[in-house]
Amino acid sequence: MKSQKKILKQYKARILLVLLSLLLLISCRKQTSLFEFSTEEVNRDIVDDIKKLKGLPHPGLLYNDTRYEVWKTCSGEWGGTVYFKNKKSGKIYYAKATCPVSVNKINNKYYISNSLSHLLGSSDILEITDPEKLEQTAKMPLYHPDIITREYESHSSKGTKKLIDTAGAVIMSSFVYKQKLYSILLNYSNTKATISELQDNKFYTIKEIDKDFFSEHPLIIKESETYQKIYLQQPKPGIVEIKENKIKFISYTKSKNK
């Protein structure tokens, strides 16, 4: 009798393990199916397409809404800064951020994705609930990739909350879908590029992507919170187009340099 009970317990435990495995598998499939991925090849030179773009934003302007302009400066390993300029009052608020690559807004909170390719690479994401609780500054130097502005960089974290801080991975851009934040990451240790979700202060991989569609110096055209086009000239010419849950990888097969 005791032997039968023992066998029954073992059988139940196995069934429970199988059910948990199935639930985990279903959950992973649901995560992947959140997005629709597609690829396209075009026989054009990406430089020609970039030249046709009109009204390109200043390289230091990251985000615009009805209340704020959000700008950045970056001095590499010497630090970086995010600036919120109130459109009505003209007042400027700033905090340290090394170095901002993307700003997103979810439920009236701002999420600053920062990335630095120095040495092994690092990245973090800041949450800012009220920009006017940051330190105030009287001036905001205009950012240019070839100009180091380290003497102006902020050293204050007042009003910010760091959600994640990781070494060995860098962020190309972040985007929002269904009130969740996703990032395009490159892991330096295994050169793996992924689309990952920020959840419970951790990155969870949604899909691994071709690392040729990751660049540390892309041109990001953000049309809205849920639509952006990322132009890449290195390592290979291409575009990552993100619109709602549709993500398209466009490869350029023609180049004047060839």
Side-chain angles (χ1 to χ4, degrees):
M1 190 69 177
K2 287 182 179 180
S3 177
Q4 288 179 341
K5 286 182 178 180
K6 186 177 180 181
I7 291 170
L8 186 60
K9 284 182 179 179
Q10 290 176 343
Y11 183 68
K12 286 181 177 178
R14 287 178 183 175
I15 290 176
L16 183 60
L17 183 61
V18 170
L19 287 173
L20 287 171
S21 299
L22 285 171
L23 285 171
L24 183 61
L25 182 61
I26 290 169
S27 175
C28 289
R29 285 179 176 173
K30 280 184 177 179
Q31 283 288 84
T32 304
S33 65
L34 277 175
F35 298 99
E36 297 177 21
F37 297 93
S38 62
T39 59
E40 181 183 343
E41 286 190 356
V42 294
N43 187 28
R44 298 195 302 272
D45 190 308
I46 193 170
V47 175
D48 292 333
D49 281 2
I50 291 174
K51 285 179 179 178
K52 293 175 185 176
L53 296 173
K54 296 180 180 180
L56 291 177
H58 188 281
L61 181 61
L62 289 174
Y63 186 86
N64 238 319
D65 63 14
T66 56
R67 193 168 184 183
Y68 297 103
E69 289 178 357
V70 186
W71 294 76
K72 74 169 182 179
T73 53
C74 178
S75 299
E77 61 268 34
W78 293 288
T81 305
V82 61
Y83 299 83
F84 285 79
K85 183 178 180 180
N86 187 303
K87 291 181 175 181
K88 188 175 180 180
S89 68
K91 292 180 179 179
I92 302 168
Y93 305 87
Y94 73 157
K96 66 177 181 180
T98 309
C99 278
V101 295
S102 184
V103 177
N104 300 92
K105 192 176 180 180
I106 303 173
N107 296 326
N108 292 319
K109 293 181 181 180
Y110 296 89
Y111 295 87
I112 319 299
S113 297
N114 302 306
S115 187
L116 182 65
S117 57
H118 183 63
L119 297 177
L120 295 176
S122 61
S123 57
D124 64 76
I125 296 179
L126 302 177
E127 180 185 85
I128 296 175
T129 303
D130 182 358
E132 300 194 11
K133 289 184 178 177
L134 308 180
E135 291 283 354
Q136 193 172 339
T137 181
K139 56 186 176 181
M140 178 176 64
L142 282 179
Y143 169 74
H144 189 280
D146 297 327
I147 299 175
I148 299 297
T149 53
R150 57 182 174 181
E151 63 182 288
Y152 302 105
E153 306 296 2
S154 173
H155 299 285
S156 171
S157 297
K158 181 183 175 184
T160 70
K161 178 182 179 182
K162 189 171 287 188
L163 300 182
I164 188 169
D165 189 356
T166 181
V170 290
I171 299 173
M172 180 169 72
S173 186
S174 297
F175 62 97
V176 174
Y177 179 62
K178 288 190 174 179
Q179 302 299 297
K180 292 183 178 180
L181 188 65
Y182 299 88
S183 298
I184 303 175
L185 301 170
L186 179 69
N187 190 316
Y188 269 24
S189 63
N190 55 14
T191 63
K192 183 171 73 173
T194 65
I195 292 175
S196 300
E197 178 188 349
L198 178 64
Q199 188 181 96
D200 299 324
N201 300 337
K202 292 180 181 179
F203 283 126
Y204 289 88
T205 297
I206 301 299
K207 183 178 176 66
E208 184 175 346
I209 64 174
D210 186 339
K211 65 180 183 296
D212 285 339
F213 281 100
F214 188 100
S215 173
E216 292 174 4
H217 305 288
L219 170 62
I220 301 175
I221 308 297
K222 193 170 184 179
E223 302 289 345
S224 69
E225 194 64 71
T226 56
Y227 182 40
Q228 62 179 287
K229 294 178 79 172
I230 306 170
Y231 290 80
L232 321 169
Q233 291 184 268
Q234 297 292 336
K236 290 183 179 180
I239 296 175
V240 181
E241 183 179 42
I242 304 169
K243 190 172 185 179
E244 297 287 349
N245 69 327
K246 295 178 175 63
I247 301 175
K248 182 188 288 188
F249 301 97
I250 303 170
S251 300
Y252 283 74
T253 58
K254 184 179 179 182
S255 174
K256 293 175 181 177
N257 296 324
K258 289 183 178 180

